Amino acid sequence: MYITCLDLEGVLVPEIWIAFAEASGIPELKRTTRDEPDYDKLMRWRLGILKEHGLGLQEIQQTIAKIDPLPGARAFLDHLRSFTQVIIISDTFEQFATPLMEKLGWPTIFCNTLEVAPDGEITGFKMRIDNSKYNTVRALQSVGFETIASGDSYNDLGMIRASKAGFLFKSTDKIKADNPDLPAYETYDELMAAIRQAMD
């Protein structure tokens, strides 16, 4: 049996931190896992900037409430779920993802949790597991699933390479150039066709 594992941001919805950087007028927050391979380092840097500007969870959630899935994402996901199991594996946080899952029709998501003070300050974060995308895919394989994976960033490469079939989707020129052996697609129709072919 197959499970298709998808990244969330950049694949199904816009990048949350980029949207918040634009809404808050703090351009430094546009840095994402497309730019920084070390997620722990990236998040600690982000939390430092939030603290410096006195911003917390409420302000980010106000931005997220205005984010819609990428054009065609909901239809792609609905169609994909009609013929294969799908899990979204993301390094985002449940406090960010929940309103987006509603807009996507409540798919299954494995993600992480923010530590939030009573006043709304984000004081830390709890990762579900180290190297979560790769280790989740390996765990699914250990209980008898074949995995197909797709994502756009450095932190997706582990699950993409560990899967029976893996694809870059809407990735950067640098990541594509650094991984020339990985098929790279720009449209949902292309990705759907590749997933179907991998299952044949």
Side-chain angles (χ1 to χ4, degrees), residues 120-160:
E121 180 188 348
I122 302 172
T123 57
F125 55 97
K126 183 172 175 49
M127 303 299 282
R128 185 172 50 82
I129 187 174
D130 286 341
N131 198 3
S132 66
K133 298 185 180 192
Y134 170 80
N135 282 321
T136 298
V137 158
R138 298 297 291 167
L140 290 167
Q141 292 165 354
S142 77
V143 292
F145 289 102
E146 293 271 21
T147 61
I148 298 169
S150 184
D152 68 322
S153 297
Y154 285 107
N155 62 340
D156 298 311
L157 293 173
M159 73 171 180
I160 289 171

Side-chain angles (χ1 to χ4, degrees), residues 19-20 23-24 50 53-66 96 119-122:
F20 185 63
S24 64
L50 292 179
H53 289 269
L55 297 169
L57 179 60
Q58 182 180 356
E59 290 83 4
I60 299 175
Q61 287 179 328
Q62 287 169 352
T63 296
I64 292 170
K66 299 171 188 169
F96 291 178
D119 66 356
E121 180 188 348
I122 302 172

Side-chain angles (χ1 to χ4, degrees), residues 59-184:
E59 290 83 4
I60 299 175
Q61 287 179 328
Q62 287 169 352
T63 296
I64 292 170
K66 299 171 188 169
I67 293 176
D68 288 319
L70 294 170
R74 172 73 187 262
F76 165 76
L77 201 53
D78 287 346
H79 186 189
L80 191 61
R81 292 163 73 193
S82 74
F83 66 86
T84 180
Q85 298 293 310
V86 179
I87 296 176
I88 297 170
I89 306 176
S90 174
D91 279 338
T92 193
F93 305 94
E94 57 187 359
Q95 294 94 332
F96 291 178
T98 300
L100 298 169
M101 293 305 99
E102 182 176 8
K103 292 179 181 181
L104 286 169
W106 296 113
T108 299
I109 182 169
F110 291 176
C111 61
N112 306 301
T113 305
L114 291 169
E115 296 167 348
V116 184
D119 66 356
E121 180 188 348
I122 302 172
T123 57
F125 55 97
K126 183 172 175 49
M127 303 299 282
R128 185 172 50 82
I129 187 174
D130 286 341
N131 198 3
S132 66
K133 298 185 180 192
Y134 170 80
N135 282 321
T136 298
V137 158
R138 298 297 291 167
L140 290 167
Q141 292 165 354
S142 77
V143 292
F145 289 102
E146 293 271 21
T147 61
I148 298 169
S150 184
D152 68 322
S153 297
Y154 285 107
N155 62 340
D156 298 311
L157 293 173
M159 73 171 180
I160 289 171
R161 291 197 173 281
S163 293
K164 180 187 178 188
F167 315 107
L168 292 170
F169 186 69
K170 295 182 183 292
S171 192
T172 66
D173 290 342
K174 180 167 186 353
I175 292 173
K176 287 187 281 191
D178 288 347
N179 298 274
D181 58 313
L182 293 179

